Amino acid sequence: MIDLSLMDEPEDIGIEAPSLRPLLSDEGNQRLVREWVEGHDRYTLADPNQPIETATFDCCILDGEMLRTHAETLRTRKREADPVLLPCLLLVPEADLSLIETDRGEIADSVVFKTADEVVSMPIKKAELEWRIGALVRLRAQSLCLKERTEALELFKRAVEASGHAITMNDMDGTIRYANPAFESVTGYDRDNVIGESADLLTPGESSTGYGEELWDTLAAGNTWRQEITNERRDGSQYVADQTIAPIIEDGEPKAFVAVQNDITERKQLEGRLSVYRDIIERLDDPIMVQTRDGEFQLVNDALCSFAGLSRDELLDANEYAFMDPETATTIAKRKQEVMETEEPVKYSVEPTFEHSDKEAIFYTTRYPYYEDGELAGTFAICRDVTDLEERTRQLNVLDNVLRHNIRNDLNVIHGRATQLSEDLEAEHGELADVIVNRAEALVTTSEKSRDITSVLNKRYTPSSIDLGQIVRRLTTELREEWPTAQIDVTGPDHLVVSAIDPIDVAIEELLTNAVIHNDSDDPRVHVELAVDGSWGTLTVRDNGPGISEFDRDVLESGTAIETLSHGSGLGLWVVYWMTKRSRGDITVTTREPRGTEITIRLPLAPDERLAPSE
């Protein structure tokens, strides 16, 4: 019979409220142990309704009969719990205990000592039971703690092995005792070959003297040392490392240290380039800015601060509404939204009014999408201050208009008087007057063509969808009416939609007109062909005229003839060149045999046309 009298105060056993499972065949003993556990302030009673196969407990208390009944189950559970101890306390009568000690038979070897962790004889006093159970539960707590530490150590080892940083563990004299795989890739040294070597192998010569004394003093004081240093790989190349060295403390004294190196060579090079770029940006007179998705400034240069009349700190995290008129700020906000939606650069011009400065400015701005780590994060803008340029342009436009008006008026007077002379004078002098008339008409035409060129160069045309087929057919119809003796025909699709600026029809008209009026053949012929070539729409004009000069060829194909001293047919070909270029097209010129010229203009197909070029 169990005697549970005279219980001492239990000591701490390492597990909060350990759970006990009584498993006794004698109902009286089962009841006594259960009541004792239920009245105990340190232990809890395991659920008696749970089968032993699945019950949760920290210690099982059983007798010989229950041992025989559940031995296999308990052994299985103990194996599954390994390396954690699942202790069993076996209570046996004194006679059975002597049998175990002397017989060493099957019951002892196969059952008792493979299942029970402690065997005590009954009767047992409450104090001894407390002590026995406390000892077993403490062993279980220690095994749980050991398992947790082992798992944590294994996890730490796997983390160190998988780390992308070079990690070494060293004695306090610097001898390397461990190096992880990343150490090889960072330094070029074989991790096994460096065991027993000094950590100074990464800092040969005098490269370590700058921080060596400070490092050892820091470690000796039990503190962590961190610094960016330049190390040397096995092949002699250098790299910059962000190095952290921490002491391993035992009994209050540093016994070893762990060193972690992060190769930041690429980052330092990038920082150097960024420093140069930042210096360049700061020196520019043009405002430059980076803004978030919400339009808040992340980066601004001094030029923007100067125009805004605000400091850098005042501008950061603000937007355009903080320093300019709301109408212009709203226009800019729309352009930013356009960039965010299309992820394409956008060009625009604004003329803001500044609230905190008296500056005046006209900005031509190019705004780009801005990315961080591959994700669209906002916009980046460069603003060109073209205030002076715009003012000069306006002045030149006024001058151009005045000169063209005055010259035209004077030429009209000359033309009128020369016409009168041609009619009144005799034949020889009349021919001279005709020359004056023709020259006056040519100068008037040149004046008109200069207006077309000025218009193209001054205005900021944006290419749009234009039906080249309909333009060609309208112009050729007009030419046939004006020049009925010329044979003009057109082949190709009725509709050919290209991307071009609005006044492209002026260039086409100039090209077709030149093919007719400069044709000295007795049978002038002009053939116009429209076609699709990949993502381009093409217009080819062929004539049987006298051909084209090298000067005019240079004008049409590249615009390089502007610096020569030669002269050509006039400003008309410049109109064709500039309007084609502004439409993002190109021109090729070919001499035909036996005579004549072939001129081809290529213009990008409009976006819708590119989807189905066969149509």
Side-chain angles (χ1 to χ4, degrees), residues 7-13 36 39-43 126-127 129-131 133-134 138:
M7 173 60 191
D8 295 331
E9 181 67 21
E11 58 181 308
D12 184 21
I13 52 177
W36 173 73
H40 206 288
D41 60 351
R42 293 291 183 93
Y43 301 119
K126 184 178 180 181
L129 180 63
E130 175 73 33
W131 179 83
I133 292 175
R138 274 192 297 273

Side-chain angles (χ1 to χ4, degrees), residues 262-536:
N262 181 20
D263 185 353
I264 58 172
T265 307
E266 184 176 348
R267 191 190 79 190
K268 297 298 289 186
Q269 293 171 347
L270 179 60
E271 288 176 353
R273 292 196 297 269
L274 287 176
S275 177
V276 174
Y277 298 155
R278 183 179 292 273
D279 185 59
I280 293 173
I281 289 173
E282 290 297 338
R283 291 173 182 270
L284 291 177
D285 293 331
D286 297 322
I288 295 178
M289 69 212 72
V290 175
Q291 292 173 272
T292 65
R293 283 178 169 272
D294 297 330
E296 296 177 346
F297 292 114
Q298 277 188 317
L299 180 147
V300 295
N301 67 343
D302 288 342
L304 180 61
C305 296
S306 177
F307 277 104
L310 297 174
S311 68
R312 193 184 309 273
D313 290 339
E314 289 173 317
L315 282 176
L316 293 178
D317 297 330
N319 55 37
E320 285 83 1
Y321 288 95
F323 63 89
M324 67 173 59
D325 61 286
E327 182 179 355
T328 304
T330 300
T331 298
I332 295 174
K334 292 178 180 178
R335 299 289 80 79
K336 286 188 287 190
Q337 184 62 32
E338 183 178 348
V339 173
M340 295 296 294
E341 291 175 354
T342 64
E343 294 192 44
E344 294 290 339
V346 171
K347 295 182 179 182
Y348 57 92
S349 63
V350 291
E351 190 171 351
T353 300
F354 301 109
E355 297 182 5
H356 305 286
S357 72
D358 57 358
K359 291 193 174 185
E360 296 180 355
I362 300 174
F363 292 130
Y364 284 173
T365 301
T366 303
R367 189 170 291 274
Y368 304 88
Y370 170 68
Y371 300 88
E372 288 184 354
D373 299 326
E375 296 293 330
L376 182 63
T379 61
F380 170 68
I382 302 175
C383 305
R384 298 299 307 274
D385 179 11
V386 295
T387 310
D388 293 340
L389 177 61
E390 283 291 304
E391 182 60 28
R392 293 193 193 99
T393 300
R394 290 168 183 169
Q395 294 170 356
L396 290 174
N397 282 336
V398 172
L399 179 62
D400 176 67
N401 289 333
V402 171
L403 289 176
R404 191 186 301 109
H405 178 269
N406 293 343
I407 291 173
R408 183 180 180 85
N409 287 343
D410 290 342
L411 286 174
N412 284 334
V413 173
I414 294 172
H415 183 272
R417 296 295 184 267
T419 301
Q420 291 178 356
L421 288 174
S422 176
E423 294 173 351
D424 296 342
L425 295 176
E426 296 179 359
E428 179 180 353
H429 294 91
E431 291 179 359
L432 295 176
D434 288 341
V435 171
I436 297 175
V437 171
N438 292 335
R439 289 296 181 177
E441 291 177 347
L443 286 173
V444 171
T445 301
T446 299
S447 176
E448 293 302 319
K449 290 179 179 178
S450 71
R451 179 187 297 274
D452 293 333
I453 291 179
T454 302
S455 175
V456 171
L457 295 180
N458 284 346
K459 292 183 180 179
R460 297 177 63 84
Y461 287 105
T462 300
S464 58
S465 296
I466 292 177
D467 193 337
L468 193 62
Q470 290 300 294
I471 291 176
V472 168
R473 280 169 172 74
R474 173 176 59 81
L475 292 175
T476 53
T477 298
E478 295 173 357
L479 278 175
R480 291 190 190 102
E481 294 175 355
E482 186 176 358
W483 303 90
T485 59
Q487 179 182 339
I488 306 172
D489 58 341
V490 181
T491 60
D494 291 339
H495 299 280
L496 180 56
V497 182
V498 297
S499 176
I501 62 174
D502 286 339
I504 191 66
D505 58 337
V506 177
I508 305 303
E509 181 180 8
E510 179 68 26
L511 203 60
L512 296 177
T513 302
N514 276 346
V516 175
I517 65 176
H518 294 299
N519 195 322
D520 60 354
S521 173
D522 294 335
D523 180 25
R525 295 189 303 275
V526 177
H527 176 69
V528 184
E529 180 182 355
L530 297 165
V532 175
D533 180 14
S535 61
W536 299 88

Side-chain angles (χ1 to χ4, degrees), residues 128-350:
E128 183 179 0
L129 180 63
E130 175 73 33
W131 179 83
R132 298 284 185 176
I133 292 175
L136 290 174
V137 173
R138 274 192 297 273
L139 288 174
R140 173 171 171 77
Q142 292 170 2
S143 66
L144 282 169
C145 182
L146 180 60
K147 179 187 178 185
E148 290 177 358
R149 291 183 178 180
T150 302
E151 290 176 348
L153 183 61
E154 181 62 28
L155 181 62
F156 173 76
K157 180 180 179 181
R158 290 200 301 268
V160 170
E161 291 283 302
S163 173
H165 300 334
I167 299 175
T168 60
M169 293 186 183
N170 312 264
D171 293 337
M172 285 304 293
D173 62 0
T175 303
I176 299 174
R177 296 304 178 191
Y178 165 83
N180 71 337
F183 180 84
E184 293 185 351
S185 59
V186 172
T187 69
Y189 287 94
D190 186 278
R191 61 187 295 206
D192 295 327
N193 292 341
V194 298
I195 304 302
E197 297 289 338
S198 171
D200 289 341
L201 62 87
L202 299 177
T203 54
E206 299 181 357
S207 61
S208 63
T209 58
Y211 62 85
E213 184 175 346
E214 176 189 352
L215 165 62
W216 296 116
D217 288 346
T218 301
L219 294 179
N223 298 321
T224 298
W225 179 88
R226 180 175 180 179
Q227 187 171 317
E228 292 181 4
I229 63 173
T230 299
N231 282 341
E232 188 172 293
R233 299 184 180 92
R234 183 181 180 182
D235 61 7
S237 62
Q238 293 186 334
Y239 67 98
V240 181
D242 181 3
Q243 183 157 284
T244 301
I245 301 179
I248 299 174
I249 306 298
E250 291 183 7
D251 299 328
E253 295 291 331
K255 301 298 184 182
F257 65 85
V258 57
V260 180
Q261 290 188 35
N262 181 20
D263 185 353
I264 58 172
T265 307
E266 184 176 348
R267 191 190 79 190
K268 297 298 289 186
Q269 293 171 347
L270 179 60
E271 288 176 353
R273 292 196 297 269
L274 287 176
S275 177
V276 174
Y277 298 155
R278 183 179 292 273
D279 185 59
I280 293 173
I281 289 173
E282 290 297 338
R283 291 173 182 270
L284 291 177
D285 293 331
D286 297 322
I288 295 178
M289 69 212 72
V290 175
Q291 292 173 272
T292 65
R293 283 178 169 272
D294 297 330
E296 296 177 346
F297 292 114
Q298 277 188 317
L299 180 147
V300 295
N301 67 343
D302 288 342
L304 180 61
C305 296
S306 177
F307 277 104
L310 297 174
S311 68
R312 193 184 309 273
D313 290 339
E314 289 173 317
L315 282 176
L316 293 178
D317 297 330
N319 55 37
E320 285 83 1
Y321 288 95
F323 63 89
M324 67 173 59
D325 61 286
E327 182 179 355
T328 304
T330 300
T331 298
I332 295 174
K334 292 178 180 178
R335 299 289 80 79
K336 286 188 287 190
Q337 184 62 32
E338 183 178 348
V339 173
M340 295 296 294
E341 291 175 354
T342 64
E343 294 192 44
E344 294 290 339
V346 171
K347 295 182 179 182
Y348 57 92
S349 63
V350 291

Side-chain angles (χ1 to χ4, degrees), residues 102-121:
T102 57
D103 182 31
R104 310 300 291 177
E106 181 179 350
I107 183 66
D109 293 335
S110 302
V111 179
V112 176
F113 295 107
K114 290 185 178 180
T115 307
D117 299 279
E118 186 79 40
V119 182
V120 296
S121 61

